[in-house]
Amino acid sequence: MKTPTVKKTTQLRNMLMSNELEFLMEAHNGMSAKIAEEAGFKGIWGSGLSISAALGVRDNNEASWTQVLEVVEFMSDATKIPILLDGDTGYGNFNNMRRLVTKLEQRGVAGVCIEDKIFPKTNSFLRTEAQPLADIEEFCGKIKAGQDTKLDDDFNIIARVEALIAGWGMGEALKRAEAYRLAGANGILMHSKISKPDEILAFMKEWGERSKSCPIVIVPTKYYATPTNAFREANISVCIWANHQMRMAVTAMQNVTKTIFEEQSLMNVEDKIVSVAELFRLQNDKELEAAEKLYLSVADADKPRAIFLAASRGAELKELTEDKPKVLIDINGKPLIEQSINHFYEHDIKDISIVRGYKKEAFKLQNIKYFDNDNFETTSELSSLFLAKKEIVDHTVISYGDILYRKYILSRLLEEKGDITIVVDAALKDRAPGYEGDFVNCSRAHNHTLFSAENAELKGIKFGKASDNKEAQGEWIGLIKTNKVGSDVLSKTLTELSNDSGFSKMKLPDLMNKLLEKKVKINVMYIDGHWLDVDNYADVSRGQKF
Ligand code: SPV
Ligand code: MG
């Protein structure tokens, strides 16, 4: 059964009538409406300026009222909070207003704000001479017609006074506000375009007690520097942040398109923008997935899982690891390991295991399967992996917990078809002679055009200094992917090695060399940089810029 909620019209009415200062956030389509709701706003301003801007036309009624209606319907469908539509002048006379109210009610819109100008209107911040005001009587008729038409008593009709915008002065503003109150408006939007709140505060003084039954709504776009408390103290009821999603979206779109145009590449853009997975989340794909399970016979996808090795302290990072292991060091506001876990989440991979050891109680991440290597001081990677052996089934990615990498690397790895695939960085030229890593020899070097793992096989892997591994074709970055066949053989080999007397010192490369000894094919997926192994303080500061 669906939970009954307070009607949107009633929600907006409650906001208007509450003793608190309430806020409406601008939105201009379904997505921005949803974003406003998720941010915590209790209501939405369907801005005429932003909706027309999103459609690429001017705020002069160039978009027809039915086109606006279409947009606001998407906004309403996408959210549970009320929408106050900026209805401009009501798109005509009292008769057009009647039809507008009916259609808005049918589409779940909680209210409409109409302004006392002449159709077609011009945005209030443009040319004063283009702001002729409507006849007061005629506008009152429009308010009454709207009120008589609505079916739901709680549907809200806000009358917007443009006298201050058009330069007619405070006397006219007060006269109009009072006339609209008497005509039955559920609130008055008093607009001002000066950079100080003086006009609004002066109006509020005169309006006095009337704001209890006929609350005041403001749009402080121009007097934005006013502390919000001043509005509270003046008994203003609702404050509208009128165009800020649209303006920020334009900033972001201009930046990203410029970068992509200039660089003819997505490489420097991808990790700075939301993932397509985030779009799917905002579009509520989850609901469809659940419905598909209910109404279609869809088999569960063969979802991979991930195992992170994170038991060691991080010897070179003493001060940062007093109270937590290195995988929990803060990098760009998030624990190091969370950055790679997020790559998995973006692929909807939620089955995540972590083998922890040093300061295991510091792990606060939720929805994770934890395995504890309490002998972390005397054992090494394979002992940790062995503890999570039951997780090595079907498609599994095994990862070091202390690596940072661009997310495309995981996307590509997940598409690899081999039984066992490892990720190898071929960009070795800037390694200092003393640099230490897991250097690999492969059947062929990276040719920098072919990216598929089908093209190279692992021949051997050895930990050591760059100067001792000049012939190596690359460095393993700490990621292995297996499919069902690969998981079986890897798991079996791990069990065999666990009987070896030297097992406690063994690392993942020892397992790989053992697999090679058994003639198991290990594919190599080459990359060209774009990752970082966080071992020392220099790596931590590089990580902050990663
Ligand atoms: C809008 O957001 O479209 C408004 C407010 O009407 S303003 O742009 O300030 O006129
Ligand atoms: Mg407008």
Side-chain angles (χ1 to χ4, degrees), residues 12-13 15-18 156 158-159 181 185-190 203-204 207 209-218 235-238:
L12 182 58
R13 179 64 60 82
M15 288 176 78
L16 283 161
M17 301 315 289
S18 87
N156 301 279
I158 306 296
R181 180 180 80 86
N186 299 108
I188 302 291
L189 191 158
M190 184 54 62
F203 171 82
M204 289 310 292
W207 193 245
E209 289 298 295
R210 284 175 283 185
S211 58
K212 288 214 173 83
S213 58
C214 188
I216 300 301
V217 180
I218 59 163
N235 284 329
I236 284 158
S237 172
V238 175

Side-chain angles (χ1 to χ4, degrees), residues 23-26 41 45 218 220 228 231 239-244:
F23 301 92
L24 296 180
M25 182 67 202
E26 169 263 322
F41 282 99
W45 169 244
I218 59 163
T228 302
F231 303 145
C239 171
I240 297 177
W241 311 122
N243 45 45
H244 301 82

Side-chain angles (χ1 to χ4, degrees), residues 306-326:
I307 304 172
F308 284 88
L309 302 184
S312 68
R313 171 173 182 169
E316 291 180 57
L317 294 161
K318 275 243 149 36
E319 287 86 354
L320 291 177
T321 57
E322 294 279 307
D323 58 345
K324 55 180 173 300
K326 105 169 137 175

Side-chain angles (χ1 to χ4, degrees), residues 382 385 398 419-422 458-459 461 480-482 485-494 496-497 508-522:
L382 289 195
L385 184 62
I398 301 168
D419 296 339
I420 303 180
T421 305
I422 63 169
L458 182 69
K459 292 292 170 205
I461 174 162
I480 307 177
K481 177 183 164 290
T482 53
V485 176
S487 289
D488 286 350
V489 65
L490 188 140
S491 179
K492 219 160 104 211
T493 310
L494 180 64
E496 284 162 23
L497 283 176
L508 276 164
D510 298 313
L511 176 60
M512 285 189 243
N513 284 328
K514 186 72 186 174
L515 287 162
L516 292 176
E517 229 178 273
K518 291 168 74 177
K519 303 275 178 273
V520 175
K521 181 174 157 188
I522 300 180

Side-chain angles (χ1 to χ4, degrees), residues 45 47-49 59 86 123-125 160 191 219 221 242:
W45 169 244
S47 159
L49 171 60
D59 189 14
D86 173 4
N123 184 277
S124 306
F125 300 142
R160 165 165 159 179
H191 208 6
V219 181
T221 303

Side-chain angles (χ1 to χ4, degrees), residues 355-356 371-374 382-390:
V355 186
R356 57 188 181 176
F371 294 88
D372 295 342
N373 180 359
D374 292 324
L382 289 195
S383 304
S384 287
L385 184 62
F386 192 66
L387 289 165
K389 194 176 81 99
K390 74 175 180 55

